[in-house]
């Protein structure tokens, strides 16, 4: 499938990220999260206060646009020698177009001196797991995470950085 042209921009307009999350999460997670869990996590993780707190801690946010309309977002941050991809989400009609690779690349590009890239993914999210594996990430560990009022065990994926 041919990639559609996107403009990726780094942003502090976190309201766009919040609004996209409220569109994307319900369509993406209904096969393994309840509507109550999704609503709780959106309220807690994607409040403007929570997003601003992440930005204040060094998280960098990127938004993908198609025809001037926002269609996806990503965020990443550095922890020691590791660049962590925190968020990567696209509207469903943009998946499979190459936009996810473009967004992932843009989000991790600022971290040029790290030795590894890592991310967390829900073990039931087989589509995301396959996407990351195609990009050279491997499941290296499991980690307890708290999202909203819920605790989960997520898969830790990693890939070394080329030096």
């Amino acid at each position: 499938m041919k990639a559609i042209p996107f403009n990726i921009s780094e942003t502090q307009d976190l309201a766009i990220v919040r609004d996209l999350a409220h569109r994307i999460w319900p369509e993406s997670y209904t096969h393994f999260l309840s509507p109550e869990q999704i609503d709780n996590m959106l309220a807690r993780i994607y409040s403007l206060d929570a997003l601003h707190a992440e930005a204040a801690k060094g998280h960098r946010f990127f938004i993908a646009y198609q025809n001037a309309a926002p269609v996806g977002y990503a965020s990443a941050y550095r922890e020691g020698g590791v660049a962590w991809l925190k968020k990567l989400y696209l509207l469903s009609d943009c998946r499979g177009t190459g936009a996810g690779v473009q967004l992932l690349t843009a989000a991790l590009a600022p971290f040029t001196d790290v030795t590894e890239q890592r991310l967390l993914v829900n073990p039931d999210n087989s589509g995301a797991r396959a996407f990351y594996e195609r990009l050279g990430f491997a499941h290296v560990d499991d980690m307890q995470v708290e999202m909203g009022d819920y605790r989960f065990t997520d898969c830790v994926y990693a890939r070394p950085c080329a030096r």
Side-chain angles (χ1 to χ4, degrees), residues 45-129:
I45 299 167
Y46 285 97
S47 71
L48 287 179
D49 287 343
L51 293 171
H52 280 290
E54 285 186 343
K57 292 179 183 173
H59 292 234
R60 299 180 73 166
F61 289 83
F62 296 81
I63 296 177
Y65 292 87
Q66 182 184 20
N67 300 323
V71 296
Y73 62 94
S75 75
Y77 65 97
R78 179 191 175 111
E79 186 176 89
V82 176
W84 282 89
L85 183 70
K86 176 76 173 185
K87 300 170 176 30
L88 177 63
Y89 296 97
L90 285 167
L91 294 173
S92 60
D93 60 346
C94 295
R95 295 180 197 139
T97 65
V101 173
Q102 293 173 28
L103 198 48
L104 180 142
T105 301
L108 294 173
F111 308 101
T112 57
D113 61 343
V114 297
T115 58
E116 188 175 53
Q117 298 169 337
R118 286 185 167 230
L119 58 93
L120 298 171
V121 65
N122 185 294
D124 295 322
N125 195 341
S126 58
R129 291 178 70 172

